[in-house]
Amino acid sequence: MAGAAGDAADWWIAQALYLAGSGVVLMMMRRFYPFSRIGGCNAVTLMRAALLAALLPPLLAGNAAGLTVAIIGGVALALDGVDGWMARRSGLASAFGARFDMEVDAALALILSLHVLSGTAVGAEILLLGLPRYLFVAAAALWPVLTAALPQRFRRKLICVVQLATLVLLQLTALPTDLAILLARLAGAALLWSFAVDIRWLMRHA
């Protein structure tokens, strides 16, 4: 089954990256997390990061996309709302937790888009669903105005769900090519529009 396997070396690489990333997260928590316990909310986000890491070996081994990748990505997406709900319910909601969750979302989108690029007929345009967050961060390094805090918007959360759900669906290689390309373009256009709205707001309120 496509996406179901990877070489042992690839799994060691994925595990090493996950452990290194977890170590960085824990160090950052000591500096920026305002609570004394990790809480179930951050544990769920770490679990989502582990699922993300599990997508690396099949990608590295050339077994991109497929049902297994879709299932792993779907579980990671389904857990996306759980960590925020747990944080609010337990009184552990924080800016750090929100940023941690957002970065896992961004990394998941990038890895899933690379699976689509490598394992399906959808072309490089799929990277419109995987790269915008990182392009925005790079642009912010050049234009500090983009580093300002944005107001909370439901639109941003909704389009993130659409982005990830589309990427999960596109892992199914039985999906007709024309439909897959159309879905990729529509979701990509929505994501770029959302970033454009945020950039315009930041420019106007600089």
Side-chain angles (χ1 to χ4, degrees):
M1 183 183 296
D7 296 336
D10 297 329
W11 282 100
W12 279 111
I13 291 171
Q15 291 178 55
L17 289 173
Y18 174 72
L19 291 174
S22 299
V24 171
V25 169
L26 293 175
M27 286 190 295
M28 297 296 286
M29 288 185 77
R30 294 184 65 179
R31 293 184 58 188
F32 302 109
Y33 188 59
F35 305 105
S36 60
R37 57 193 177 95
I38 292 178
C41 49
N42 291 302
V44 169
T45 310
L46 283 169
M47 185 185 304
R48 295 182 65 230
L51 291 171
L52 188 161
L55 295 174
L56 287 174
L59 180 63
L60 295 172
N63 297 318
L67 180 59
T68 301
V69 173
I71 291 172
I72 295 172
V75 173
L77 173 58
L79 291 173
D80 190 19
V82 174
D83 46 10
W85 176 82
M86 291 180 68
R88 292 186 295 272
R89 185 176 177 84
S90 61
L92 296 176
S94 68
F96 175 88
R99 178 67 180 270
F100 181 24
D101 182 63
M102 179 178 65
E103 297 301 343
V104 171
D105 285 341
L108 178 62
L110 177 58
I111 296 302
L112 287 176
S113 68
L114 291 175
H115 270 278
V116 174
L117 179 62
S118 299
T120 76
V122 180
E125 60 199 304
I126 193 61
L127 296 178
L128 290 176
L129 288 176
L131 287 177
R133 165 65 185 164
Y134 298 102
L135 294 176
F136 181 82
V137 171
L142 299 174
W143 294 285
V145 65
L146 299 181
T147 62
L150 286 162
Q152 293 290 330
R153 292 289 186 270
F154 176 73
R155 174 256 309 164
R156 202 175 296 121
K157 296 178 181 179
L158 176 61
I159 289 182
C160 179
V161 172
V162 170
Q163 172 194 16
L164 293 175
T166 300
L167 285 167
V168 169
L169 182 61
L170 292 179
Q171 306 304 321
L172 302 176
T173 54
L175 201 66
T177 299
D178 289 344
L179 177 58
I181 293 173
L182 176 61
L183 291 174
R185 290 177 177 175
L186 290 175
L191 183 61
L192 292 179
W193 168 77
S194 182
F195 271 95
V197 170
D198 287 340
I199 291 171
R200 182 171 180 268
W201 188 94
L202 290 168
M203 292 295 187
R204 292 182 63 184
H205 293 81

